[in-house]
Amino acid sequence: MLCPSDAVFARVDKDSSNSKSHCFGDPTMYEKYWQKAGDKTTIVIPGWQSLSYFSDVRNLCWFLEPEFAKEVVRLHKVVGNAITENHHIVVGTGSTQLFQAALYALSSQDASEPISSYPSITDCVKSRLYKWAGDAKRFNKDGPYIELVTSPNNPDGSVRQSVVNRSGGILVHDLAYYWPQYTSITYPADHDLMLFTVSKSTGHAGTRIGWALVKDMEVAKKMTKYIELNTIGVSKDSQLRAAKVLKVVSDSCKPSGSEDECFFEFTNHQMSTRWKQLRMAVQKSGLFSVPELPSQFCTFLGRAFEPQPAFAWLKCEQEIEDCESFLKGNKILTRSGKHFGFSPKYVRISMLDRDENYNLFVQRLSKILS
């Protein structure tokens, strides 16, 4: 079974026979808000609709639904986390496909050797256009490269910037977690190529929709071509559903007020509560630690707060060398730090499970005493 690199989380092992359950990092925490929203995000798609492959033949990305594009622009404007002006929108089946499309678009077809890139996807695709070249902090080769800047970072939640700064480099900014439930919005990002996804922003992972904001028209064209070759476009039904969800989010956060609680206020509070619970459990146990990240002022929420990432980067202290195995012995399934190029003393833990599972997790963690 393949575990996508951005979708693995810690889960309380209620059923030891289900040893692969930790491979699915469902953001089910968000169910509570959407259940309260009721039928506001309900859409009806007639049988005659969405028959054609084409959405808008005048658009560079011809399978991009106009309604989805409109709501993407609106949401970024409401939150203030990205500039959409002078950018082309390319829609994809999640951010993974968009990253593959970006690699395809940015890699030279005539290069003498593969351009350096990102591990799990490049190893899976086994393209001759690009290969994984390791941690950007230790990259010192001459020639073209693509640096993926994930900010906030996965797995530790820290704010990142480019670190290679060598000639011949191209940057791709993965901003999947740059939303105010996870981190302060400090500026509107205005990079050459930025990736976003509904799974991290609204919790609708099953909709499988992501989008890229791309400045260079030729790069956007090549990304569109890749998706055309790969899947002949992107599901119209999913785009229409995502558009409705984004609209409800934007409506809930209108400055003039809304009958519904602002989605980002609600989810920011959820994340804040969960991080307080985790830190209390860590303190009570005495066997673990989590990073301390500085607070920053959020221009969207109008207040300062510490980052509260979607994943906790937990370290086993004292003489515990294999944190994943140690926690598994206590019926908590995690993802070892060795999968992220770190010591096995670290594990990554999802903060986005349902309340029932999350509360059981922190309860069990707190009972593991030094």
Side-chain angles (χ1 to χ4, degrees), residues 284-297:
K284 182 178 180 181
S285 171
L287 273 177
F288 312 103
S289 64
V290 289
E292 296 288 341
L293 300 172
S295 63
Q296 290 183 299
F297 184 82

Side-chain angles (χ1 to χ4, degrees), residues 243-256:
K244 188 64 177 288
V245 168
L246 297 189
K247 182 180 187 303
V248 171
V249 170
S250 294
D251 286 346
S252 75
C253 299
K254 288 189 295 187
S256 57

Side-chain angles (χ1 to χ4, degrees), residues 179-237:
W179 298 98
Q181 65 266 52
Y182 307 122
T183 191
S184 293
I185 304 303
T186 57
Y187 72 102
D190 190 21
H191 305 295
D192 289 341
L193 202 163
M194 302 178 282
L195 304 180
F196 296 90
T197 170
V198 296
S199 66
K200 307 305 187 298
S201 55
T202 71
H204 290 81
T207 304
R208 306 308 308 130
I209 289 291
W211 66 94
L213 301 178
V214 189
K215 281 187 178 179
D216 189 287
M217 180 183 291
E218 292 305 313
V219 172
K221 284 181 179 179
K222 289 181 180 179
M223 290 180 68
T224 299
K225 185 63 178 179
Y226 175 87
I227 296 171
E228 175 186 332
L229 295 171
N230 186 226
T231 51
I232 321 179
V234 175
S235 167
K236 289 185 176 185
D237 293 358

Side-chain angles (χ1 to χ4, degrees), residues 112-318:
S112 58
E113 62 178 63
I115 196 167
S116 302
S117 181
Y118 188 64
S120 60
I121 295 174
T122 55
D123 289 347
C124 174
V125 177
K126 297 187 183 301
S127 171
R128 295 183 180 181
L129 297 177
Y130 42 80
K131 65 179 180 180
W132 170 239
D135 190 339
K137 292 180 180 178
R138 294 190 288 270
F139 182 78
N140 60 2
K141 297 180 181 179
D142 294 325
Y145 66 88
I146 298 171
E147 181 181 356
L148 178 64
V149 181
T150 305
S151 184
N153 188 44
N154 176 7
D156 65 5
S158 61
V159 175
R160 295 291 183 93
Q161 295 179 337
S162 171
V163 297
V164 178
N165 296 321
R166 298 172 67 90
S167 61
I170 304 170
L171 301 181
V172 175
H173 284 80
D174 182 354
L175 304 182
Y177 300 99
Y178 191 44
W179 298 98
Q181 65 266 52
Y182 307 122
T183 191
S184 293
I185 304 303
T186 57
Y187 72 102
D190 190 21
H191 305 295
D192 289 341
L193 202 163
M194 302 178 282
L195 304 180
F196 296 90
T197 170
V198 296
S199 66
K200 307 305 187 298
S201 55
T202 71
H204 290 81
T207 304
R208 306 308 308 130
I209 289 291
W211 66 94
L213 301 178
V214 189
K215 281 187 178 179
D216 189 287
M217 180 183 291
E218 292 305 313
V219 172
K221 284 181 179 179
K222 289 181 180 179
M223 290 180 68
T224 299
K225 185 63 178 179
Y226 175 87
I227 296 171
E228 175 186 332
L229 295 171
N230 186 226
T231 51
I232 321 179
V234 175
S235 167
K236 289 185 176 185
D237 293 358
S238 290
Q239 289 187 66
L240 292 173
R241 184 180 185 221
K244 188 64 177 288
V245 168
L246 297 189
K247 182 180 187 303
V248 171
V249 170
S250 294
D251 286 346
S252 75
C253 299
K254 288 189 295 187
S256 57
S258 169
E259 62 181 25
D260 299 314
E261 182 176 2
C262 173
F263 171 80
F264 293 113
E265 285 279 8
F266 184 91
T267 53
N268 178 278
H269 177 71
Q270 279 186 297
M271 293 301 297
S272 175
T273 299
R274 290 187 171 207
W275 270 97
K276 287 175 183 176
Q277 289 177 293
L278 178 60
R279 292 189 186 280
M280 288 176 63
V282 165
Q283 184 178 20
K284 182 178 180 181
S285 171
L287 273 177
F288 312 103
S289 64
V290 289
E292 296 288 341
L293 300 172
S295 63
Q296 290 183 299
F297 184 82
C298 178
T299 57
F300 175 76
L301 294 176
R303 63 177 183 269
F305 63 91
E306 295 178 7
Q308 37 201 46
F311 294 99
W313 190 228
L314 187 83
K315 181 182 180 182
C316 283
E317 301 290 355
Q318 300 182 18

